[in-house]
């Protein structure tokens, strides 16, 4: 007899196989506290975030006090570590060949070393028990909002860069515990509001995740016909376009300025890669004076026309893209980490919405994975993005581990 599990039965399977003897309030508190101080940073040669220290100590404590093995895909984790060493090796080789000044290569190597420790720590924290991901992101969100409230700076001026993502993380952490449908509705409303207030990327991602939740809450996405998907996609595009059109002229100018600088930097970064695809220029824009001048020359007239302060004619050029910046600075060896990372982010999004049952973690997994994919191409490699990358790595390891568990469980019960 062949057993064909329904989505509901798969959810029950997922619930059964995810019971974890490590489950502990103590680990949840550790995760929350580790995330809470994400707003605080100090300068030790380069930027160091307090969260990066906190997650390292939390991971060490977890390793000593856990009762069972971590719920992670060990082989995938080992591959990530290998590619992280490729990332570091690429920078070291490029810096030695390019004769990068000591101050610059120490910052460059330190950034990669911190990414490695962040990656390991977040994998341990998310792997010890499933709900630590909720507590960590809640800690980050509440920490960022709390410090703004204390300083009286929780307003629209700080919206985009300080608390917008925090609100979406709270929605993704808390609302799915009560209703997937309400979570989807909240994300779509938040997404449209974000686009109205000039945070296009986060707004669009929130709408995408909300739409996917609506589609999948009653149906198996693998069986949904293309017409409903296209219809909802068309409505989403229309809503986003209309929202953009009714925003103020000031925001429209700011959007144009942001897009102009971002895409000019990416284009010039690609030229730098073509000039030297195997060996990079070196850490922190070493030997990139001509590319910095090209960025200045290619944007100054358009920036002036927009009435904005255009890029200064600096001595170093940094591409506004994680994968392009790593390739440009550290060569192909360094780029291999981000190529692998991007592939697994794409795979994670596919798995979380298509291959495994929709559950209370879907919104959190989906939003952060898609956001990580956006940052891969559209955000710089440095600063607080190290934590974002490490979280996305840990999420992909958790998602792929969950899929393998469900597949193994189903394989045992399908044939009776």
């Amino acid at each position: 007899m062949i057993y064909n599990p329904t989505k509901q039965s798969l959810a029950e399977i997922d619930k059964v196989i995810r019971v974890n003897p490590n489950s502990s309030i103590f680990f949840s508190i550790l995760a929350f506290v580790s995330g809470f101080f994400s707003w605080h940073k100090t300068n030790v040669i380069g930027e160091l975030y307090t969260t990066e220290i906190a997650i390292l100590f939390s991971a060490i404590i977890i390793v000593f006090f856990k009762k069972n093995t971590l719920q992670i895909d060990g082989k995938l984790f080992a591959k990530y570590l290998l590619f992280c060493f490729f990332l570091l090796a690429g920078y070291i080789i490029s810096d030695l060949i390019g004769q990068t000044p000591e101050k610059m290569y120490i910052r460059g190597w330190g950034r990669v070393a911190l990414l490695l420790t962040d990656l390991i720590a977040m994998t341990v924290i998310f792997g010890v028990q499933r709900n630590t991901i909720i507590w960590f992101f809640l800690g980050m969100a509440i920490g960022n909002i709390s410090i703004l409230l204390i300083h009286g700076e929780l307003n629209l001026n700080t919206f985009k860069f300080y608390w917008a993502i925090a609100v979406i993380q709270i929605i993704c952490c808390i609302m799915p515990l009560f209703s997937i449908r309400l979570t989807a509705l909240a994300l779509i409303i938040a997404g449209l509001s974000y686009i109205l207030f000039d945070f296009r990327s986060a707004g669009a991602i929130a709408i995408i995740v909300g739409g996917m939740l609506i589609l999948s809450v009653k149906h198996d996405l693998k069986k949904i016909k293309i017409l409903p998907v296209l219809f909802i996609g068309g409505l989403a595009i229309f809503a986003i376009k209309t929202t953009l059109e009714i925003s103020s002229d000031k925001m429209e100018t700011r959007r144009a300025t942001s897009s102009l600088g971002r895409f000019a930097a990416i284009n010039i970064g690609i030229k730098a890669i073509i000039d030297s695809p195997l060996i990079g220029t070196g850490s922190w824009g070493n030997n990139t004076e001509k590319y910095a001048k090209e960025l200045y020359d290619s944007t100054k007239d358009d920036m002036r026309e927009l009435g904005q302060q255009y890029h200064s004619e600096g001595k170093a050029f940094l591409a506004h893209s994680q994968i392009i910046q790593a390739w440009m600075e550290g060569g192909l060896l360094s780029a291999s980490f981000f190529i692998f990372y991007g592939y697994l982010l794409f795979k994670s999004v596919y798995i979380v919405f298509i291959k495994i049952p929709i559950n209370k973690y879907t919104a959190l997994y989906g939003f952060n994975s898609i956001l990580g994919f956006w940052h891969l191409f559209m955000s710089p490699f440095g600063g607080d993005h190290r934590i974002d990358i490490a979280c996305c790595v840990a999420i992909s390891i958790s998602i792929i581990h969950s899929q393998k568990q469900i597949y193994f469980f189903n394989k045992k019960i399908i044939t009776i």
Side-chain angles (χ1 to χ4, degrees), residues 152-194:
E153 296 177 351
L154 190 67
N155 51 51
L156 287 179
N157 292 329
T158 58
F159 167 73
K160 184 172 181 179
F161 295 105
Y162 293 97
W163 59 274
I165 295 295
V167 172
I168 292 182
Q169 299 289 19
I170 290 172
I171 292 172
C172 291
C173 285
I174 295 177
M175 291 197 67
L177 301 176
F178 303 99
S179 170
I180 299 296
R181 291 182 180 88
L182 285 179
T183 304
L185 180 61
L187 286 172
I188 291 171
I189 292 172
L192 291 172
S193 302
Y194 280 29

Side-chain angles (χ1 to χ4, degrees), residues 38-74:
S38 60
W39 54 269
H40 186 262
K41 63 182 177 181
T42 185
N43 275 294
V44 184
I45 302 177
E47 286 184 344
L48 176 65
Y49 283 78
T50 302
T51 291
E52 294 181 291
I53 301 172
I55 61 173
L56 185 58
F57 279 107
S58 295
I60 292 170
I61 292 169
I62 287 170
V63 167
F64 277 104
F65 288 96
K66 65 183 177 65
K67 297 177 182 178
N68 210 327
T69 56
L70 297 172
Q71 297 185 61
I72 64 173
D73 187 308

Side-chain angles (χ1 to χ4, degrees), residues 10 40 49 98 104 117 186 222 248 258 356 396:
L10 282 176
H40 186 262
Y49 283 78
M104 294 173 70
T117 56
K222 290 181 288 187
S248 68
S258 173
I356 60 178
S396 69

Side-chain angles (χ1 to χ4, degrees), residues 134-156:
I134 290 178
W135 287 105
F136 180 79
F137 281 112
L138 272 180
M140 288 184 71
I142 293 172
N144 277 284
I145 292 174
S146 298
I147 196 66
L148 290 170
L149 279 172
I150 291 170
H151 288 94
E153 296 177 351
L154 190 67
N155 51 51
L156 287 179

Side-chain angles (χ1 to χ4, degrees), residues 3 9 75 108 118 221 227 252 339 356 358 370 383-384 414:
Y3 172 62
S9 65
K75 291 182 179 179
D118 292 347
L221 280 179
L227 189 58
E252 181 61 35
I339 293 170
I356 60 178
I358 297 298
I370 298 173
D384 58 347
I414 283 176

Side-chain angles (χ1 to χ4, degrees), residues 226-236:
I226 192 66
L227 189 58
V229 176
L230 291 176
F231 179 70
I232 290 179
L235 286 178

Side-chain angles (χ1 to χ4, degrees), residues 122-373:
M122 292 313 309
T123 301
V124 171
I125 292 170
F126 288 0
V128 69
Q129 62 189 46
R130 199 174 188 188
N131 70 350
T132 47
I133 184 174
I134 290 178
W135 287 105
F136 180 79
F137 281 112
L138 272 180
M140 288 184 71
I142 293 172
N144 277 284
I145 292 174
S146 298
I147 196 66
L148 290 170
L149 279 172
I150 291 170
H151 288 94
E153 296 177 351
L154 190 67
N155 51 51
L156 287 179
N157 292 329
T158 58
F159 167 73
K160 184 172 181 179
F161 295 105
Y162 293 97
W163 59 274
I165 295 295
V167 172
I168 292 182
Q169 299 289 19
I170 290 172
I171 292 172
C172 291
C173 285
I174 295 177
M175 291 197 67
L177 301 176
F178 303 99
S179 170
I180 299 296
R181 291 182 180 88
L182 285 179
T183 304
L185 180 61
L187 286 172
I188 291 171
I189 292 172
L192 291 172
S193 302
Y194 280 29
I195 292 169
L196 180 63
F197 289 104
D198 200 31
F199 200 172
R200 293 167 292 170
S201 56
I205 293 168
I207 291 170
I208 290 169
V209 174
M212 295 296 283
L213 290 176
I214 287 175
L215 280 175
S216 58
V217 74
K218 280 189 175 183
H219 306 280
D220 185 341
L221 280 179
K222 290 181 288 187
K223 297 178 181 178
I224 291 179
K225 295 180 180 180
I226 192 66
L227 189 58
V229 176
L230 291 176
F231 179 70
I232 290 179
L235 286 178
I237 292 170
F238 174 76
I240 291 171
K241 182 176 181 295
T242 303
T243 305
L244 286 171
E245 287 174 350
I246 64 176
S247 58
S248 68
D249 292 339
K250 183 179 178 181
M251 289 183 179
E252 181 61 35
T253 300
R254 210 160 63 199
R255 281 195 289 264
T257 303
S258 173
S259 298
L260 176 65
R262 187 192 302 270
F263 287 106
I266 289 174
N267 287 333
I268 293 169
I270 292 172
K271 288 182 182 179
I273 291 170
I274 293 172
D275 290 343
S276 181
L278 299 179
I279 304 298
T281 61
S283 297
W284 290 105
N286 181 52
N287 296 322
T288 59
E289 293 84 357
K290 71 173 183 176
Y291 302 115
K293 186 177 186 305
E294 186 175 348
L295 177 64
Y296 171 80
D297 291 338
S298 64
T299 59
K300 63 179 181 179
D301 292 337
D302 290 328
M303 288 288 187
R304 189 183 291 117
E305 191 174 314
L306 289 168
Q308 300 296 307
Q309 182 179 1
Y310 43 86
H311 295 282
S312 59
E313 195 169 1
K315 294 182 179 180
F317 167 77
L318 298 174
H320 208 282
S321 167
Q322 292 168 1
I323 187 169
I324 293 175
Q325 185 176 336
W327 199 333
M328 182 189 75
E329 294 178 342
L332 183 58
L333 202 58
S334 292
S336 65
F337 171 84
F338 285 101
I339 293 170
F340 180 70
Y341 168 65
Y343 161 71
L344 284 173
L345 280 178
F346 185 82
K347 183 177 180 180
S348 296
V349 172
Y350 174 74
I351 291 172
V352 79
F353 287 115
I354 306 295
K355 301 293 287 184
I356 60 178
I358 297 298
N359 55 67
K360 63 184 179 181
Y361 297 96
T362 301
L364 194 57
Y365 284 161
F367 178 79
N368 284 285
S369 296
I370 298 173
L371 183 64
F373 197 77

